Amino acid sequence: MITASILICGAGIVGLTVARDLVAAGYDDILIIDKEPEAGKHASGRNSGVLHAGIYYAPGSLRAQSCLQGNFRMKQYCEERGLPMLKTGKVIVARDESELPTLRELYSRATQNGAKVELIDDKQLAEIEPNAKSAGQALFSHYTAVVDPKEILKSIQAELLATGKVKILFGARFIGLGKAEGKRLSVRTTAGDISCAFFLNAAGAYGDVVAHAFGLGGDYQLIPFKGIYKKLKKEKAHMIRGSIYPVPNIKNPFLGVHFTRGAHGDVYLGPTAIPALGRENYGILSGIDSEAFSILLRDAVLFFRNKKFREVALEEPRKYSFTYFFNDARKLVKELSPDDIEATPKAGIRPQLVDVKKNELVMDFVIEGTYNSVHVLNSISPAFTSSLFFSEMLFKQYLAPKLAKL
């Protein structure tokens, strides 16, 4: 049997950054397991790379608290290690006058959250993003930046392994719990049983599955949303300097199709937020598994009982149509032709936690635990941006008090 003092399930950004904080606090004999052959294979390595600046989130929420501080820390991390980063900021544009009140609400939220933002007119917008258009007003976020998530994941992984205090076991899928040995947990995986004194669930899209095995998270289920991207052809990438976002529906957790210049200069359009039929349903059919029926059933219940979900479910699947997708993107810019856009294999799955009793989309982080385990049930966006702050908070408030008693 494999043994470890601390076992972390999930080698995504949350699992890796928490391990980093554990090492910094003097802990060792840490084992990270992941079912994939490499770190960050799913949401952590497939996101847009945008470091958000705390604009969208309700003041006082954990998302708001962690986003801006996480932004600052991730920028510093990239600068210290020479990792790719673009600090271009972003503009959020009102597409018509009906969106102006929401734009001003975003300004208010951002200001309360400590973000540096400005309400700008069309002349100022043209100086920042010449091709962006608005209904007379836009919001400019100074702190928004873009990084390469995969390079950050590689860097943190190398850092952890170099300490000699952390091991990573890939190809080890969590199966369930075995018979406990005194106060130690026995965790069953596809790579064998593992005995540990403490367990951290950072399993991302499977966080609810792992928590349920511990008798936790019974009120919650993660349902997947698919993010599909398009890309500007290389010779057209100059049309976008940084990032251009629409004013979102702030009652929903999705930000709408937008333009983002990546850390290496490519400009992507997207993502969508299409309800998916599998936690890894990246293609049309690929990734649909035995869970498809239960996901479809949960989607159906939400469709009839939750207005916010119904709006997303009716709107987003239309974006499978290139014409609909193009028209959505076209509203943000002065010039764009269908011929400027090409297909890309880039796609992601965003797991969204649902309170199954209330039939509500959960809009903040959710953390539960036992005396010898902690479970991150909802690594909700902007989890990548927030990670270096969120992991420290998770360690200090949830892990350290429990570890001190073991």
Side-chain angles (χ1 to χ4, degrees):
M1 178 181 283
I2 304 166
T3 63
S5 294
I6 300 170
L7 178 61
I8 298 174
C9 182
I13 192 65
V14 173
L16 295 181
T17 52
V18 174
R20 189 169 175 265
D21 285 311
L22 285 163
V23 170
Y27 292 92
D28 59 11
D29 192 23
I30 301 162
L31 177 63
I32 303 172
I33 59 170
D34 197 287
K35 69 183 181 64
E36 300 296 347
E38 62 187 61
K41 186 75 173 175
H42 297 288
S44 293
R46 288 175 173 266
N47 65 76
S48 64
V50 174
L51 296 183
H52 295 283
I55 292 171
Y56 304 100
Y57 317 117
S61 66
L62 183 51
R63 291 171 86 186
Q65 294 169 27
S66 63
C67 182
L68 192 57
Q69 291 303 314
N71 173 300
F72 294 155
R73 294 186 186 195
M74 192 64 82
K75 284 179 186 171
Q76 183 180 357
Y77 184 88
C78 290
E79 286 171 346
E80 289 174 349
R81 289 156 182 81
L83 300 177
M85 177 169 56
L86 286 179
K87 295 198 285 186
T88 52
K90 82 172 178 185
V91 293
I92 302 172
V93 299
R95 290 162 290 189
D96 58 59
E97 290 187 357
S98 69
E99 293 184 336
L100 292 174
T102 303
L103 189 74
R104 294 175 191 127
E105 169 64 20
L106 291 178
Y107 174 81
S108 175
R109 286 189 179 193
T111 303
Q112 290 179 69
N113 291 337
K116 184 180 179 182
V117 291
E118 291 179 72
L119 286 169
I120 58 175
D121 59 24
D122 282 345
K123 183 179 178 181
Q124 294 167 299
L125 177 62
E127 292 173 357
I128 299 165
E129 280 288 355
N131 196 28
K133 70 176 181 181
S134 78
Q137 199 167 48
L139 187 68
F140 178 50
S141 167
H142 289 258
Y143 293 152
T144 304
V146 183
V147 296
D148 184 333
K150 291 182 179 179
E151 289 298 314
I152 290 170
L153 291 161
K154 286 179 187 176
S155 177
I156 297 176
Q157 178 180 330
E159 222 182 287
L160 292 173
L161 295 177
T163 67
K165 298 180 179 181
V166 180
K167 294 179 181 178
I168 304 178
L169 180 61
F170 292 112
R173 179 193 289 269
F174 177 91
I175 297 173
L177 293 177
K179 187 177 180 181
E181 301 173 350
K183 291 186 176 182
R184 292 181 68 87
L185 291 165
S186 177
V187 177
R188 296 168 54 232
T189 81
T190 52
D193 291 353
I194 302 172
S195 172
C196 65
F198 188 83
F199 181 90
L200 171 65
N201 171 9
Y206 295 87
D208 58 333
V209 174
V210 176
H212 293 166
F214 283 75
L216 299 173
D219 292 346
Y220 301 108
Q221 179 182 344
L222 281 161
I223 60 171
F225 287 83
K226 185 186 307 183
I228 297 171
Y229 292 83
K230 305 291 184 186
K231 186 179 179 182
L232 285 187
K233 291 179 179 176
K234 193 171 184 179
E235 62 271 22
K236 296 294 183 178
H238 67 274
M239 298 168 66
I240 308 296
R241 288 182 178 176
S243 295
I244 306 174
Y245 278 61
V247 172
N249 178 349
I250 55 176
K251 294 179 181 179
N252 284 332
F254 309 109
L255 301 180
V257 169
H258 48 268
F259 292 83
T260 300
R261 176 176 284 274
H264 302 288
D266 295 328
V267 175
Y268 288 94
L269 294 76
T272 58
I274 300 166
L277 291 176
R279 298 177 197 237
E280 298 171 28
N281 178 208
Y282 297 115
I284 294 176
L285 297 176
S286 63
I288 297 177
D289 55 24
S290 58
E291 272 197 295
F293 180 76
S294 65
I295 292 171
L296 192 61
L297 181 61
R298 174 54 53 200
D299 285 350
V301 172
L302 282 171
F303 185 88
F304 288 107
R305 296 186 180 180
N306 185 289
K307 182 182 177 183
K308 291 185 286 188
F309 178 83
R310 185 161 58 249
E311 289 172 353
V312 172
L314 290 172
E315 174 73 12
E316 290 292 325
R318 299 178 189 179
K319 294 174 186 174
Y320 269 123
S321 159
F322 176 81
T323 300
Y324 196 91
F325 185 100
F326 170 79
N327 288 336
D328 207 38
R330 180 72 178 84
K331 296 172 184 175
L332 303 178
V333 290
K334 297 169 184 173
E335 295 181 18
L336 185 69
S337 163
D339 294 334
D340 297 336
I341 300 169
E342 63 184 8
T344 174
K346 183 178 176 69
I349 293 290
R350 175 170 166 172
Q352 170 63 48
L353 197 68
V354 173
D355 186 318
V356 296
K357 287 190 174 179
K358 298 178 181 177
N359 288 304
E360 289 286 343
L361 305 182
V362 180
M363 302 290 278
D364 207 351
F365 295 102
V366 173
I367 301 163
E368 294 189 1
T370 64
Y371 79 94
N372 59 357
S373 71
V374 168
H375 301 258
V376 182
L377 279 161
N378 199 25
S379 296
I380 193 169
S381 177
F384 195 94
T385 300
S386 301
S387 56
L388 290 175
F389 177 85
F390 177 78
S391 62
E392 183 181 67
M393 180 281 301
L394 190 68
F395 168 70
K396 288 181 175 179
Q397 294 187 24
Y398 293 88
L399 274 69
K402 295 175 186 288
L403 287 166
K405 295 177 182 178
L406 294 179

